[in-house]
Amino acid sequence: MVEEVESLLSELSNHTSEVHGKRTYHKGRLFNTVDVVIVFSRWGKVAAAATTAILIERYNCQEIIFTGVAGGVQHGLNVGDVVVASRLVQHDMNATPIFKRFEIPLLGITEFPTSECRRDQLIKAANTFVAAADGTGLNTMTTEEQRQKFHIAKPKVITGLAASGDKFFASKADLDQLRNDLPECNCVEMEGAAVAQVCHEHDIPFSIVRIISDSADDSADIDFQAFVKEIATLYSHGILELALTGSS
């Protein structure tokens, strides 16, 4: 999201930027630790895939970390929880009867695994962020009023399957169908599995971190833009800083 990018740019030294394909790619050193390229991919699988391809082909990125928000699918997931994906699937891929449902044609797989080493680092960082009592944690970076506003009480961090597709889930019927089709799915979003496929085809390790912003059904009542600005951006910034600097 734009807000996540703007937050990270405040920590970017030696900052330069270029525009390609209507996106601004920001180069520099993040947290005085690692050289990066930061960009807002825009929404949807095509946009995410195009952005990822440019990061790999034009900027020679050797790893992709993608952050953002998602709708909770598994029962028990709440707003403010974190899903560090272990694998990604495209829930709207259906080339039956030629291929199995969810199978990517010509690749022969349905799920893309994330980088195990980086995943462990991100899980540790996310757990530190949601629990820390000092200035690096959620409780000191937000007010009690903000947490109450978005019903964030005791956020947790899980790992597992995340599903992606060009659809925003906002009805119980659609969510129930997704749960039936993909019983192991933890959250649903619109980009991760596209990023995963491009990285898979280029042998590039990748990670996907999602903050739960809503329940992906017609009971969701939060202000999405406010959540991204006031909460999700802090999560992304804090988790990445802890993971990349080894502070978690």
Side-chain angles (χ1 to χ4, degrees):
M1 301 290 288
V2 172
E3 294 83 356
E4 293 174 283
V5 169
E6 291 176 348
S7 176
L8 292 174
L9 292 184
S10 68
E11 302 280 1
L12 197 66
S13 58
N14 303 322
H15 181 191
T16 62
S17 62
E18 301 174 324
V19 176
H20 299 289
K22 303 186 187 304
R23 292 158 178 76
T24 302
Y25 293 78
H26 302 272
K27 298 173 61 178
R29 192 160 184 83
L30 186 61
F31 306 126
N32 292 316
T33 301
V34 59
D35 293 326
V36 300
V37 181
I38 300 172
V39 60
F40 171 42
S41 72
R42 302 189 177 191
W43 288 6
K45 291 195 302 179
V46 172
T51 306
T52 303
I54 289 178
L55 286 170
I56 295 170
E57 292 291 333
R58 188 179 187 94
Y59 293 100
N60 196 33
C61 291
Q62 298 301 301
E63 179 184 10
I64 303 292
I65 301 178
F66 194 102
T67 67
V69 297
V73 175
Q74 283 290 351
H75 296 288
L77 272 180
N78 301 305
V79 172
D81 290 345
V82 180
V83 178
V84 180
S86 61
R87 58 200 201 280
L88 283 295
V89 62
Q90 295 184 37
H91 67 74
D92 55 357
M93 174 57 71
N94 189 350
T96 57
I98 304 172
F99 301 95
K100 294 186 301 181
R101 189 170 182 195
F102 309 124
E103 180 178 323
I104 307 300
L106 306 182
L107 293 185
I109 57 176
T110 59
E111 298 176 355
F112 298 96
T114 58
S115 167
E116 185 174 357
C117 178
R118 183 66 79 186
R119 184 195 319 147
D120 291 342
Q121 293 174 346
L122 289 165
I123 291 170
K124 183 179 179 182
N127 275 307
T128 297
F129 178 78
V130 300
D134 60 19
T136 64
L138 175 68
N139 288 336
T140 52
M141 296 176 71
T142 59
T143 65
E144 182 176 353
E145 181 181 2
Q146 284 177 308
R147 295 191 295 276
Q148 289 179 348
K149 173 182 177 181
F150 297 106
H151 312 295
I152 299 173
K154 295 181 179 180
K156 57 185 173 294
V157 179
I158 68 167
T159 186
L161 180 67
S164 311
D166 288 319
K167 175 183 176 63
F168 186 86
F169 280 75
S171 79
K172 184 178 185 302
D174 288 344
L175 181 59
D176 287 344
Q177 184 63 57
L178 180 65
R179 287 172 172 156
N180 182 69
D181 294 339
L182 292 166
E184 296 182 21
C185 179
N186 289 286
C187 66
V188 62
E189 35 91 316
M190 299 178 67
E191 298 86 19
V195 172
Q197 182 175 340
V198 175
C199 287
H200 172 83
E201 296 189 14
H202 287 81
D203 295 318
I204 296 294
F206 70 95
S207 304
I208 308 291
V209 180
R210 292 295 189 175
I211 298 91
I212 300 302
S213 61
D214 59 83
S215 52
D217 61 16
D218 42 20
S219 68
D221 60 356
I222 71 161
D223 183 331
F224 179 80
Q225 292 298 334
F227 179 84
V228 170
K229 182 178 180 179
E230 297 179 35
I231 302 295
T233 296
L234 298 178
Y235 270 80
S236 299
H237 189 128
I239 291 169
L240 285 175
E241 184 170 12
L242 289 165
L244 295 178
T245 63
S247 302
S248 57

